[in-house]
Amino acid sequence: MKLLNSFSAALILLALLPSPTSAQICPKTCGPMTLKYPFGTAPGCGDPRFQPYVTCTNNQQLTFATHTGCYPVTAIDYNHHSIFISDPTLSTCSCTQPSRGFSLDSNAPFAFRDDTIFALLGCSADASSPIYKSAGGANSSFPMCDSQGAPVCSILYSCEAMSRLNLPVSTCCVYTPVDLGPAFEMDLQKLQCASYSAMYSFNGGEEGNNPQAWKYGIALKYKFNFNNDFPELCARCERSNGVCGYSGPYKSFSCNCPSGFNTTTDCFLGNWSGSFRVLPWRKTGFLLVEILGLFILFALM
């Protein structure tokens, strides 16, 4: 009888233990790419201002979204606050293809990095094109393109893929980010251009004369806040192996810990602010143990 009482007491104590928590709600990776603040894998992860623009798809592909489409993220440089994306409709030295262009959302916390270069290709030479501006005379116009971009156009148009189009170099226009205006809008149909190419980290050295070696894609810079200071609460959270996130109607800061808990500080000594999830099969198992424990308890009374 004593053994049975001990056994029943053990079952009751086991049933009263807290249920095990799930894995971390905010994973630290999306496919092969490591994610840190301000980016996150899902709503509630990362910075709420960035979450609508950088997301992890179901097939573990990190993507960047604007009103012109979704683009794969190829790399993130956290030290220099830069993100690199590719556009499937981008023309390179190896391939040319039609495109609608690329634009940033005006309210997004991103801007073009200074070393990003756009080359508009196959543009109309007609003075009615928005890339030309009237110089005062009826038949007089001058291009709004960057005059220092002429070598880029010449090298691009010398590529085999583009030389087959037999277009004059004058139909190429190097369009630097600052010329896209405050809305960062590049509408190729409105600009009367057929396609575009984009590259970053461009230099005029030996590599600059080899378009096959250019880094094709779009480089963007981002800021945490006005002063671009890394939030101290988030730094503490990441040092404790947590993931920075947000919760509640006011999207207040929360630290998502490996245990699945959310805290308002860090994963070392946090104030528990959120509920935790349990794995379904473990939840069911603990419920059965609780019922069994109660059954034995009443049977012994």
Side-chain angles (χ1 to χ4, degrees):
M1 189 67 174
K2 185 176 181 181
L3 180 61
L4 185 58
N5 286 338
S6 299
F7 177 71
S8 61
L11 286 177
I12 293 171
L13 288 174
L14 183 62
L16 294 176
L17 289 175
S19 302
T21 59
S22 68
Q24 196 155 18
I25 299 171
C26 295
K28 298 179 181 179
T29 60
C30 178
M33 197 165 298
T34 300
L35 289 189
K36 298 179 182 179
Y37 184 86
F39 307 113
T41 53
C45 307
D47 189 307
R49 297 173 304 147
F50 289 81
Q51 199 281 321
Y53 304 102
V54 178
T55 56
C56 186
T57 64
N58 292 334
N59 61 352
Q60 293 295 294
Q61 169 65 60
L62 196 65
T63 61
F64 180 84
T66 77
H67 63 278
T68 55
C70 295
Y71 308 90
V73 176
T74 57
I76 300 176
D77 184 346
Y78 291 101
N79 293 327
H80 297 93
H81 303 166
S82 299
I83 183 172
F84 304 90
I85 64 175
S86 64
D87 181 355
T89 68
L90 184 75
S91 292
T92 67
C93 189
S94 304
C95 177
T96 60
Q97 52 192 330
S99 174
R100 294 185 307 160
F102 175 85
S103 301
L104 287 176
D105 292 352
S106 58
N107 59 343
F110 296 93
F112 294 107
R113 218 170 69 165
D114 295 338
D115 60 351
T116 295
I117 296 176
F118 290 109
L120 311 189
L121 310 174
C123 299
S124 171
D126 194 315
S128 65
S129 170
I131 65 172
Y132 290 86
K133 183 183 292 185
S134 173
N139 298 316
S140 178
S141 63
F142 66 92
M144 294 176 63
C145 310
D146 187 348
S147 59
Q148 296 183 350
V152 175
C153 286
S154 297
I155 295 173
L156 267 177
Y157 273 35
S158 68
C159 295
E160 182 179 353
M162 296 191 187
S163 63
R164 289 197 297 265
L165 301 177
N166 199 25
L167 295 171
V169 176
S170 60
T171 62
C172 171
C173 172
V174 169
Y175 217 57
T176 54
V178 68
D179 292 329
L180 292 181
F184 302 116
E185 189 79 22
M186 183 175 63
D187 186 335
L188 292 183
Q189 184 176 4
K190 185 182 295 184
L191 295 171
Q192 299 179 25
C193 300
S195 58
Y196 83 105
S197 184
M199 64 285 298
Y200 57 89
S201 299
F202 181 83
N203 60 68
E206 185 176 333
E207 183 182 286
N209 296 319
N210 179 13
Q212 295 285 358
W214 290 355
K215 296 178 180 178
Y216 292 96
I218 301 169
L220 303 173
K221 56 186 178 182
Y222 60 87
K223 292 180 68 174
F224 302 124
N225 45 52
F226 182 79
N227 295 320
N228 209 21
D229 298 325
F230 195 95
E232 178 56 31
L233 271 175
C234 184
R236 288 176 54 188
C237 174
E238 290 189 348
R239 285 196 296 267
S240 66
N241 203 29
V243 175
C244 302
Y246 57 94
S247 61
Y250 300 105
K251 297 182 178 179
S252 303
F253 168 81
S254 67
C255 180
N256 182 232
C257 301
S259 61
F261 282 97
N262 285 344
T263 83
T264 57
T265 53
D266 54 48
C267 298
F268 293 135
L269 295 172
N271 298 317
W272 306 114
S273 61
S275 60
F276 57 86
R277 299 184 303 173
V278 295
L279 298 177
W281 69 271
R282 296 300 297 271
K283 181 187 289 185
T284 304
F286 271 81
L287 181 59
L288 291 174
V289 170
E290 289 175 358
I291 295 173
L292 180 60
L294 290 173
F295 176 80
I296 295 175
L297 180 63
F298 283 113
L300 295 176
M301 292 178 63

